[in-house]
Amino acid sequence: MVRQTSCVMSVPTSANAESHVPAPWSAPYSCVDASAMVPAFPGRSWAQETQPQFWSKFQVWEWLQQTLDMHQIDAASIPFHNFDMDGQQLCSMSFQDFTQAAGPIGPLLFQSIADLKWSGQYGIEIFAPLDIKTEVNEFQCSIPPLREDFNTWPCPGDEQLRPRMSPQDLVDIKTPFPPPAALTSPTPSSPESKRLQNRPQTTQHKKHNPRGTHLWEFIRDILLHPDRNPGLIKWEDRAAGVFRFLKSEAVAQLWGKKKNNSSMTYEKLSRAMRYYYKREILERVDGRRLVYKFGRNAQGWKETEK
DNA sequence: GACCCCTTTCCTGGTT
DNA sequence: TAACCAGGAAAGGGGT
């Protein structure tokens, strides 16, 4: 059966268009190419923002999220509160500080920030001078992709700041390190856990999430960082895991952008959400529009799990 | 290539 | 009337 979808969105997804848009602050929250929705938006000086020492707390988190996403590391596995600091504080962290704050991926983060410091210092243009404003007020994309080949770049000067990672350090860097059990283990008796138990051992443990971020994780992560998505989704009952879509179509477009699917709509997104009912990742909230609730198999959203 | 999983797409019908 | 909800059916696509 051939389904020719009609593209109802105005989000350009061609390679060309994509190549002119810097990667958003986070792949999971990939920004809608709002230039399509907001024809004119004010420019912004990027001169300072290319240097991490001038970053705000918000931008530090953007960078952190971007780096985790790039390496397909579950954001819920990282103690974000350890990075509740501005760029200046971030830049003053030592290699050991990063390791303590982020565990096994500390070296990766350290290397990343060292590269950015170095790039900014030497005036390398790694940030495209483009600002994007979505229909959701302040949802801005600012952090471009970090270089994947960071470890192969020449390393002028400050070796103390830029220790080379050994091959062992980089082994399986795309494979997330084991997150806390509380964040990954479905309730033993739940259908989800049974489903996992029935899987071959290799697929249970080999890769945490080979397909990348799932929709519910995407939603969860938006909720966990409300400062980054003003007006998209909000908690109705934080403790109970009840949340509500405020800009359903905007969220759908963000999801579509992440999946490189310009025809994503809330209608389709909500269908995918409803499939989570069976797996108890979400629970029904009867009688309330745009309201969902995390179920027993949704992990990482509780405050106590942070 | 088969199979599994997670969506994605389309659809019908109901509700707000 | 529009937007949303519910869920069946089938296909797409990546991983094993």
Short mmCIF file of all heavy atoms in Angstrom, two decimals, chain A residues 112-153:
data_model
loop_
_atom_site.label_atom_id
_atom_site.label_comp_id
_atom_site.label_asym_id
_atom_site.label_seq_id
_atom_site.Cartn_x
_atom_site.Cartn_y
_atom_site.Cartn_z
N SER A 112 34.94 18.30 24.76
CA SER A 112 34.05 19.14 23.98
C SER A 112 34.20 20.61 24.37
O SER A 112 34.34 21.48 23.51
CB SER A 112 32.60 18.70 24.18
OG SER A 112 31.71 19.65 23.63
N ILE A 113 34.19 20.85 25.66
CA ILE A 113 34.25 22.25 26.10
C ILE A 113 35.65 22.82 25.84
O ILE A 113 35.81 24.00 25.53
CB ILE A 113 33.85 22.38 27.59
CG1 ILE A 113 33.34 23.80 27.86
CG2 ILE A 113 34.97 22.07 28.53
CD1 ILE A 113 32.07 24.14 27.11
N ALA A 114 36.66 21.95 25.95
CA ALA A 114 38.02 22.42 25.66
C ALA A 114 38.14 22.84 24.20
O ALA A 114 38.77 23.84 23.86
CB ALA A 114 39.02 21.32 26.00
N ASP A 115 37.51 22.06 23.35
CA ASP A 115 37.53 22.40 21.92
C ASP A 115 36.82 23.72 21.66
O ASP A 115 37.28 24.54 20.88
CB ASP A 115 36.85 21.29 21.11
CG ASP A 115 37.82 20.21 20.68
OD1 ASP A 115 39.03 20.40 20.88
OD2 ASP A 115 37.36 19.18 20.17
N LEU A 116 35.70 23.89 22.33
CA LEU A 116 34.94 25.12 22.12
C LEU A 116 35.70 26.33 22.64
O LEU A 116 35.71 27.40 22.03
CB LEU A 116 33.58 25.02 22.81
CG LEU A 116 32.58 24.10 22.10
CD1 LEU A 116 31.36 23.87 22.97
CD2 LEU A 116 32.17 24.69 20.76
N LYS A 117 36.36 26.15 23.77
CA LYS A 117 37.17 27.24 24.33
C LYS A 117 38.26 27.60 23.35
O LYS A 117 38.52 28.76 23.06
CB LYS A 117 37.77 26.81 25.67
CG LYS A 117 36.77 26.86 26.80
CD LYS A 117 37.28 26.09 28.00
CE LYS A 117 38.47 26.73 28.64
NZ LYS A 117 38.91 25.96 29.83
N TRP A 118 38.89 26.56 22.85
CA TRP A 118 40.00 26.76 21.94
C TRP A 118 39.52 27.44 20.65
O TRP A 118 40.10 28.37 20.14
CB TRP A 118 40.63 25.41 21.62
CG TRP A 118 41.82 25.51 20.72
CD1 TRP A 118 43.08 25.83 21.06
CD2 TRP A 118 41.83 25.30 19.31
NE1 TRP A 118 43.89 25.82 19.96
CE2 TRP A 118 43.15 25.51 18.87
CE3 TRP A 118 40.85 24.96 18.37
CZ2 TRP A 118 43.51 25.37 17.53
CZ3 TRP A 118 41.22 24.83 17.05
CH2 TRP A 118 42.55 25.04 16.65
N SER A 119 38.38 26.96 20.17
CA SER A 119 37.83 27.51 18.93
C SER A 119 37.49 28.98 19.09
O SER A 119 37.74 29.80 18.23
CB SER A 119 36.59 26.72 18.52
OG SER A 119 36.90 25.38 18.29
N GLY A 120 36.85 29.29 20.24
CA GLY A 120 36.47 30.67 20.48
C GLY A 120 37.68 31.57 20.60
O GLY A 120 37.74 32.67 20.05
N GLN A 121 38.68 31.06 21.30
CA GLN A 121 39.89 31.84 21.54
C GLN A 121 40.59 32.18 20.24
O GLN A 121 41.13 33.25 20.06
CB GLN A 121 40.81 31.02 22.45
CG GLN A 121 42.05 31.78 22.88
CD GLN A 121 42.87 30.93 23.83
OE1 GLN A 121 42.44 29.87 24.27
NE2 GLN A 121 44.05 31.40 24.17
N TYR A 122 40.58 31.21 19.33
CA TYR A 122 41.30 31.42 18.09
C TYR A 122 40.38 31.87 16.96
O TYR A 122 40.77 31.91 15.82
CB TYR A 122 42.05 30.15 17.70
CG TYR A 122 43.21 29.92 18.61
CD1 TYR A 122 43.05 29.23 19.81
CD2 TYR A 122 44.45 30.47 18.31
CE1 TYR A 122 44.12 29.05 20.66
CE2 TYR A 122 45.53 30.29 19.17
CZ TYR A 122 45.35 29.57 20.34
OH TYR A 122 46.41 29.41 21.19
N GLY A 123 39.16 32.17 17.33
CA GLY A 123 38.27 32.80 16.38
C GLY A 123 37.79 31.89 15.27
O GLY A 123 37.40 32.35 14.21
N ILE A 124 37.75 30.61 15.51
CA ILE A 124 37.26 29.71 14.48
C ILE A 124 35.74 29.82 14.40
O ILE A 124 35.05 29.78 15.40
CB ILE A 124 37.68 28.26 14.78
CG1 ILE A 124 39.17 28.14 14.60
CG2 ILE A 124 36.94 27.28 13.90
CD1 ILE A 124 39.72 26.79 14.94
N GLU A 125 35.26 29.94 13.21
CA GLU A 125 33.83 30.10 13.02
C GLU A 125 33.14 28.75 13.08
O GLU A 125 33.05 28.04 12.10
CB GLU A 125 33.56 30.75 11.67
CG GLU A 125 32.11 31.06 11.40
CD GLU A 125 31.69 32.39 11.99
OE1 GLU A 125 32.54 33.24 12.18
OE2 GLU A 125 30.50 32.55 12.25
N ILE A 126 32.70 28.38 14.25
CA ILE A 126 32.01 27.11 14.33
C ILE A 126 30.52 27.32 14.55
O ILE A 126 29.75 26.41 14.48
CB ILE A 126 32.56 26.22 15.45
CG1 ILE A 126 32.38 26.91 16.79
CG2 ILE A 126 33.99 25.88 15.18
CD1 ILE A 126 32.65 26.00 17.95
N PHE A 127 30.15 28.54 14.84
CA PHE A 127 28.73 28.82 15.00
C PHE A 127 28.24 29.58 13.78
O PHE A 127 28.82 30.58 13.41
CB PHE A 127 28.47 29.70 16.22
CG PHE A 127 28.68 29.00 17.52
CD1 PHE A 127 29.95 28.83 18.03
CD2 PHE A 127 27.60 28.50 18.22
CE1 PHE A 127 30.13 28.20 19.24
CE2 PHE A 127 27.78 27.87 19.42
CZ PHE A 127 29.05 27.71 19.94
N ALA A 128 27.19 29.10 13.22
CA ALA A 128 26.59 29.85 12.13
C ALA A 128 25.85 31.04 12.70
O ALA A 128 25.15 30.91 13.70
CB ALA A 128 25.65 28.96 11.34
N PRO A 129 25.99 32.19 12.11
CA PRO A 129 25.33 33.38 12.63
C PRO A 129 23.86 33.39 12.29
O PRO A 129 23.41 34.12 11.44
CB PRO A 129 26.07 34.51 11.93
CG PRO A 129 26.49 33.90 10.64
CD PRO A 129 26.76 32.46 10.92
N LEU A 130 23.14 32.53 12.92
CA LEU A 130 21.72 32.46 12.62
C LEU A 130 20.95 32.25 13.90
O LEU A 130 21.31 31.47 14.74
CB LEU A 130 21.46 31.28 11.66
CG LEU A 130 20.01 31.00 11.32
CD1 LEU A 130 19.42 32.19 10.60
CD2 LEU A 130 19.91 29.76 10.47
N ASP A 131 19.93 32.99 14.00
CA ASP A 131 19.06 32.81 15.15
C ASP A 131 17.71 32.37 14.63
O ASP A 131 17.31 32.71 13.54
CB ASP A 131 18.91 34.13 15.91
CG ASP A 131 18.26 33.90 17.27
OD1 ASP A 131 18.02 32.75 17.63
OD2 ASP A 131 18.01 34.89 17.93
N ILE A 132 17.05 31.57 15.41
CA ILE A 132 15.76 31.07 14.98
C ILE A 132 14.77 31.33 16.09
O ILE A 132 15.04 31.14 17.25
CB ILE A 132 15.85 29.56 14.69
CG1 ILE A 132 16.68 29.36 13.44
CG2 ILE A 132 14.48 28.96 14.50
CD1 ILE A 132 16.94 27.91 13.13
N LYS A 133 13.62 31.73 15.69
CA LYS A 133 12.58 31.97 16.66
C LYS A 133 11.36 31.17 16.25
O LYS A 133 10.88 31.28 15.14
CB LYS A 133 12.25 33.46 16.68
CG LYS A 133 11.59 33.91 17.95
CD LYS A 133 11.55 35.42 17.91
CE LYS A 133 11.03 35.99 19.21
NZ LYS A 133 10.98 37.44 19.16
N THR A 134 10.88 30.36 17.09
CA THR A 134 9.72 29.56 16.74
C THR A 134 8.48 30.36 17.04
O THR A 134 8.50 31.44 17.59
CB THR A 134 9.66 28.26 17.55
OG1 THR A 134 9.33 28.60 18.88
CG2 THR A 134 10.96 27.53 17.48
N GLU A 135 7.36 29.76 16.66
CA GLU A 135 6.11 30.41 16.99
C GLU A 135 5.92 30.43 18.49
O GLU A 135 5.13 31.17 19.03
CB GLU A 135 4.95 29.67 16.34
CG GLU A 135 4.76 28.27 16.85
CD GLU A 135 3.58 27.59 16.22
OE1 GLU A 135 2.82 28.25 15.55
OE2 GLU A 135 3.40 26.43 16.37
N VAL A 136 6.66 29.57 19.14
CA VAL A 136 6.66 29.61 20.59
C VAL A 136 7.75 30.59 21.00
O VAL A 136 8.92 30.31 20.91
CB VAL A 136 6.99 28.24 21.18
CG1 VAL A 136 6.92 28.29 22.67
CG2 VAL A 136 6.04 27.20 20.64
N ASN A 137 7.29 31.70 21.38
CA ASN A 137 8.12 32.80 21.79
C ASN A 137 9.62 32.64 21.80
O ASN A 137 10.32 32.99 20.88
CB ASN A 137 7.68 33.22 23.18
CG ASN A 137 7.20 34.64 23.16
OD1 ASN A 137 7.25 35.27 22.11
ND2 ASN A 137 6.73 35.12 24.26
N GLU A 138 10.14 32.08 22.87
CA GLU A 138 11.57 32.15 23.10
C GLU A 138 12.30 30.87 22.74
O GLU A 138 13.43 30.68 23.12
CB GLU A 138 11.84 32.47 24.56
CG GLU A 138 11.44 33.85 24.95
CD GLU A 138 12.23 34.89 24.18
OE1 GLU A 138 13.43 34.71 23.98
OE2 GLU A 138 11.63 35.89 23.76
N PHE A 139 11.65 30.00 22.01
CA PHE A 139 12.30 28.73 21.74
C PHE A 139 13.39 28.94 20.71
O PHE A 139 13.17 28.97 19.53
CB PHE A 139 11.27 27.73 21.24
CG PHE A 139 11.72 26.33 21.41
CD1 PHE A 139 11.39 25.64 22.54
CD2 PHE A 139 12.52 25.73 20.45
CE1 PHE A 139 11.82 24.35 22.71
CE2 PHE A 139 12.95 24.44 20.62
CZ PHE A 139 12.60 23.75 21.75
N GLN A 140 14.56 29.10 21.17
CA GLN A 140 15.63 29.46 20.27
C GLN A 140 16.62 28.34 20.10
O GLN A 140 16.91 27.59 21.00
CB GLN A 140 16.35 30.70 20.81
CG GLN A 140 15.45 31.91 20.77
CD GLN A 140 16.11 33.08 21.42
OE1 GLN A 140 16.96 32.92 22.30
NE2 GLN A 140 15.75 34.26 21.01
N CYS A 141 17.10 28.27 18.89
CA CYS A 141 18.12 27.28 18.60
C CYS A 141 19.44 28.00 18.55
O CYS A 141 19.59 28.96 17.81
CB CYS A 141 17.86 26.64 17.25
SG CYS A 141 16.19 26.02 17.13
N SER A 142 20.39 27.54 19.28
CA SER A 142 21.63 28.29 19.27
C SER A 142 22.87 27.46 19.18
O SER A 142 23.89 27.92 18.72
CB SER A 142 21.71 29.15 20.53
OG SER A 142 21.59 28.34 21.66
N ILE A 143 22.80 26.23 19.59
CA ILE A 143 24.02 25.46 19.63
C ILE A 143 24.15 24.60 18.38
O ILE A 143 23.32 23.78 18.08
CB ILE A 143 24.05 24.57 20.88
CG1 ILE A 143 23.88 25.45 22.11
CG2 ILE A 143 25.34 23.81 20.95
CD1 ILE A 143 24.96 26.45 22.34
N PRO A 144 25.20 24.79 17.65
CA PRO A 144 25.42 23.99 16.46
C PRO A 144 26.02 22.66 16.83
O PRO A 144 26.37 22.43 17.98
CB PRO A 144 26.45 24.82 15.69
CG PRO A 144 27.26 25.44 16.78
CD PRO A 144 26.30 25.70 17.91
N PRO A 145 26.14 21.78 15.88
CA PRO A 145 26.72 20.48 16.20
C PRO A 145 28.17 20.62 16.62
O PRO A 145 28.92 21.38 16.04
CB PRO A 145 26.60 19.71 14.88
CG PRO A 145 26.34 20.72 13.84
CD PRO A 145 25.78 21.93 14.50
N LEU A 146 28.49 19.89 17.64
CA LEU A 146 29.88 19.83 18.03
C LEU A 146 30.58 18.91 17.08
O LEU A 146 30.00 18.01 16.52
CB LEU A 146 29.97 19.31 19.46
CG LEU A 146 29.25 20.20 20.46
CD1 LEU A 146 29.19 19.49 21.80
CD2 LEU A 146 29.94 21.54 20.59
N ARG A 147 31.84 19.14 16.91
CA ARG A 147 32.56 18.31 15.95
C ARG A 147 32.67 16.89 16.45
O ARG A 147 32.97 16.62 17.60
CB ARG A 147 33.96 18.89 15.72
CG ARG A 147 33.96 20.21 15.03
CD ARG A 147 35.36 20.50 14.54
NE ARG A 147 36.39 20.19 15.50
CZ ARG A 147 36.79 21.04 16.43
NH1 ARG A 147 36.24 22.21 16.54
NH2 ARG A 147 37.73 20.70 17.25
N GLU A 148 32.42 15.96 15.58
CA GLU A 148 32.54 14.55 15.95
C GLU A 148 33.99 14.15 16.05
O GLU A 148 34.35 13.25 16.78
CB GLU A 148 31.84 13.67 14.90
CG GLU A 148 30.34 13.66 15.03
CD GLU A 148 29.88 12.75 16.15
OE1 GLU A 148 30.70 12.31 16.95
OE2 GLU A 148 28.67 12.48 16.21
N ASP A 149 34.81 14.83 15.29
CA ASP A 149 36.20 14.40 15.21
C ASP A 149 37.07 15.18 16.18
O ASP A 149 38.21 15.45 15.92
CB ASP A 149 36.72 14.61 13.78
CG ASP A 149 36.61 16.06 13.36
OD1 ASP A 149 35.82 16.81 13.99
OD2 ASP A 149 37.31 16.44 12.42
N PHE A 150 36.48 15.54 17.29
CA PHE A 150 37.21 16.38 18.22
C PHE A 150 38.53 15.81 18.66
O PHE A 150 39.46 16.50 18.97
CB PHE A 150 36.35 16.67 19.46
CG PHE A 150 35.97 15.44 20.21
CD1 PHE A 150 36.80 14.94 21.18
CD2 PHE A 150 34.78 14.78 19.92
CE1 PHE A 150 36.43 13.82 21.89
CE2 PHE A 150 34.42 13.65 20.63
CZ PHE A 150 35.24 13.16 21.61
N ASN A 151 38.59 14.51 18.67
CA ASN A 151 39.81 13.90 19.18
C ASN A 151 40.91 13.84 18.16
O ASN A 151 42.03 13.47 18.47
CB ASN A 151 39.50 12.49 19.70
CG ASN A 151 40.55 12.05 20.68
OD1 ASN A 151 40.95 12.84 21.52
ND2 ASN A 151 40.98 10.82 20.56
N THR A 152 40.59 14.19 16.94
CA THR A 152 41.62 14.09 15.93
C THR A 152 42.16 15.45 15.54
O THR A 152 43.05 15.55 14.74
CB THR A 152 41.06 13.42 14.66
OG1 THR A 152 40.00 14.25 14.15
CG2 THR A 152 40.51 12.05 14.99
N TRP A 153 41.59 16.48 16.10
CA TRP A 153 42.06 17.81 15.77
C TRP A 153 43.41 18.07 16.38
O TRP A 153 43.76 17.55 17.42
CB TRP A 153 41.06 18.85 16.29
CG TRP A 153 40.05 19.21 15.29
CD1 TRP A 153 39.38 18.35 14.46
CD2 TRP A 153 39.57 20.51 15.00
NE1 TRP A 153 38.52 19.05 13.69
CE2 TRP A 153 38.60 20.37 13.99
CE3 TRP A 153 39.85 21.78 15.49
CZ2 TRP A 153 37.94 21.46 13.46
CZ3 TRP A 153 39.18 22.86 14.97
CH2 TRP A 153 38.24 22.70 13.96
#
